[in-house]
Amino acid sequence: MSHAQEVQLQIRGTPEPEFGHGENGGGSKAADRRRSEGRGIRWWLLVIVDMLIVLCGQTIATLLGRLYYNSGGNSKWMATITQSGGSPLIAVILLLTPPESSDTGPQPPASKMVPIYLGIGVLLGFDNLMYSYALLYLPVSTFALVAATQLGFNSITSRLINKQRFTALIANSVVVLTFSATLLGVGSSDDGTSTDLPKGKYTLGFILTLSASAVFALILSLFELTFQKVVRTRTFRWVLRVQLCTNLVASTVSVCGLFASGEWRTIPGEMAAFKDGRARYVATLVGTAVSWQAMSVASLRLITRVSSLFANVTGTVSLPLVPVFAVILFGDKMTGIKAVAMLMAVWGFLSYVYQHYLDGRRAAMGKEGAACAARGGAEVILHA
């Protein structure tokens, strides 16, 4: 009888294996277990769907943004508005989405969420403006390649803000992507493509793209930190709510800039002079806005499901697609420097993917080892 009691006490005292950071960024073992068990086929299918939406949304939005400029559009603030102006669509989806059980629990106070919405929204508004100028001053293929440096910036912000582990492979990704962008920066600005681009603005476009990439990387890490430390739940309704509020603030910044700059006066003339008429003008802006919103929601879902770095890596996958479509649609020339830079950027992306694969294997082996140790401890007591 005493042996049986000893066995029972020993089994109860055996520590449970830990499965990572938990649902709320460092929560209970029960939350860790639920998250680990939830990563089945359905979880991966949802992640893959979000990745495809990010991939398609970012590619289409970038190409439509270049089409807006190529077809006669010239308002940088209007191009900025399209990057966040589709937020009313999010409000419709939010109203139609039924609340989940987690939505009825304790809610973060408005005193914390409002400053977050304002801060991230203002950052997002000015980041969108920098991207609008950069897309005007650079060929779309060069813009896409330089914008890929946001993965390198995000590796740094994820380490500093989200405590992301910084390995040799991730460091390799940062160095390769940075060197890839530098190749484009020191290359000739006259590559014979997109002849309607403003003359003498290549360097400014390059600097603006790098700056916007760094700010966007910071925004992604702040989103992840918000869900980890403040929201503490990762339901679809909360993803939509955070996306809606931050984009409304960004849209307000853009609309204020449109009126303060006086560009609103040029919109009727720009619409009338747009290639193929007003209908195409409206369709281009609406298509751009919808594409950016789809990409942003899917990216935020990836942040809550995995990490901001994973979401950024997914956006980098569109890197080879944009230059290819730019060659087909806009006549951009795929120069040798661009080809080498694209291959190096893909190499940097694959370095991170391989690191993610190694982390997954290490976590799985850790779970198996902890489980075996627990079983072995129980068997030793039983034999005794």
Side-chain angles (χ1 to χ4, degrees):
M1 184 66 180
S2 61
H3 287 297
Q5 290 176 346
E6 184 180 1
V7 171
Q8 187 177 15
L9 290 172
Q10 181 67 27
I11 293 175
R12 286 180 179 177
T14 303
E16 296 182 7
E18 297 185 4
F19 298 123
H21 294 294
E23 191 70 20
N24 298 326
S28 64
K29 294 177 181 178
D32 291 336
R33 191 185 305 111
R34 285 195 301 270
R35 188 180 185 189
S36 177
E37 291 171 353
R39 292 197 175 189
I41 296 178
R42 182 177 180 275
W43 186 89
W44 278 110
L45 286 176
L46 292 173
V47 168
I48 291 172
V49 169
D50 287 335
M51 291 174 68
L52 290 175
I53 293 174
V54 169
L55 193 65
C56 296
Q58 182 168 307
T59 301
I60 294 172
T62 303
L63 292 171
L64 287 176
R66 181 69 254 169
L67 179 65
Y68 166 76
Y69 288 130
N70 282 3
S71 300
N74 194 46
S75 172
K76 273 73 69 179
W77 282 108
M78 180 59 72
T80 303
I81 290 174
T82 60
Q83 297 178 54
S84 57
S87 49
L89 296 174
I90 305 300
V92 174
I93 299 174
L94 182 59
L95 290 174
L96 297 177
T97 303
E100 301 179 30
S101 57
S102 302
D103 295 322
T104 59
Q107 303 292 311
S111 59
K112 288 186 177 181
M113 294 307 301
V114 170
I116 290 173
Y117 293 148
L118 291 175
I120 295 181
V122 170
L123 273 178
L124 192 59
F126 284 103
D127 187 63
N128 291 341
L129 179 63
M130 286 191 287
Y131 270 127
S132 297
Y133 272 96
L135 192 56
L136 174 63
Y137 294 157
L138 290 179
V140 68
S141 53
T142 304
F143 168 83
L145 291 169
V146 178
T149 56
Q150 69 188 36
L151 176 58
F153 290 120
N154 195 212
S155 298
I156 298 172
T157 58
S158 293
R159 172 59 180 169
L160 297 177
I161 298 175
N162 310 122
K163 308 303 180 186
Q164 174 81 33
R165 195 161 58 91
F166 204 87
T167 65
L169 285 171
I170 293 179
N172 174 71
S173 177
V174 173
V175 172
V176 170
L177 285 168
T178 303
F179 189 67
S180 170
T182 305
L183 264 181
L184 295 171
V186 301
S188 172
S189 62
D190 184 14
D191 59 4
T193 64
S194 299
T195 55
D196 349 352
L197 297 174
K199 299 297 182 182
K201 298 291 187 179
Y202 185 91
T203 303
L204 179 58
F206 179 80
I207 294 173
L208 285 172
T209 308
L210 280 180
S211 301
S213 299
V215 174
F216 186 68
L218 174 63
I219 290 171
L220 291 182
S221 291
L222 291 176
F223 272 133
E224 183 175 356
L225 184 66
T226 298
F227 277 92
Q228 285 178 340
K229 302 298 184 181
V230 183
V231 176
R232 295 185 178 277
T233 185
R234 307 189 180 203
T235 63
F236 184 51
R237 283 180 61 84
W238 262 108
V239 168
L240 293 176
R241 190 175 295 139
V242 171
Q243 174 73 11
L244 173 64
C245 294
T246 53
N247 273 257
L248 283 176
V249 175
S251 298
T252 302
V253 171
S254 303
V255 171
C256 290
L258 178 67
F259 281 94
S261 65
E263 284 190 359
W264 64 274
R265 298 187 182 92
T266 67
I267 299 303
E270 180 179 285
M271 186 182 297
F274 199 76
K275 184 179 179 180
D276 293 337
R278 298 172 183 267
R280 184 174 179 181
Y281 180 86
V282 174
T284 301
L285 294 181
V286 170
T288 306
V290 171
S291 299
W292 278 125
Q293 286 302 308
M295 175 266 180
S296 299
V297 170
S299 181
L300 195 53
R301 279 168 61 87
L302 287 177
I303 290 173
T304 59
R305 290 182 186 278
V306 191
S307 69
S308 62
L309 194 57
F310 186 87
N312 214 332
V313 166
T314 302
T316 310
V317 179
S318 67
L319 172 68
L321 297 180
V322 174
V324 170
F325 281 107
V327 170
I328 298 172
L329 298 176
F330 305 130
D332 282 15
K333 184 189 298 182
M334 185 55 68
T335 63
I337 288 181
K338 286 182 183 179
V340 172
M342 184 169 64
L343 291 174
M344 293 185 67
V346 173
W347 175 16
F349 162 70
L350 292 177
S351 294
Y352 176 77
V353 171
Y354 184 61
Q355 179 62 62
H356 191 69
Y357 165 75
L358 291 179
D359 289 343
R361 285 196 60 185
R362 189 178 295 110
M365 292 174 64
K367 295 174 195 175
E368 293 177 1
C372 288
R375 289 194 300 268
E379 290 176 0
V380 168
I381 300 299
L382 284 170
H383 284 302

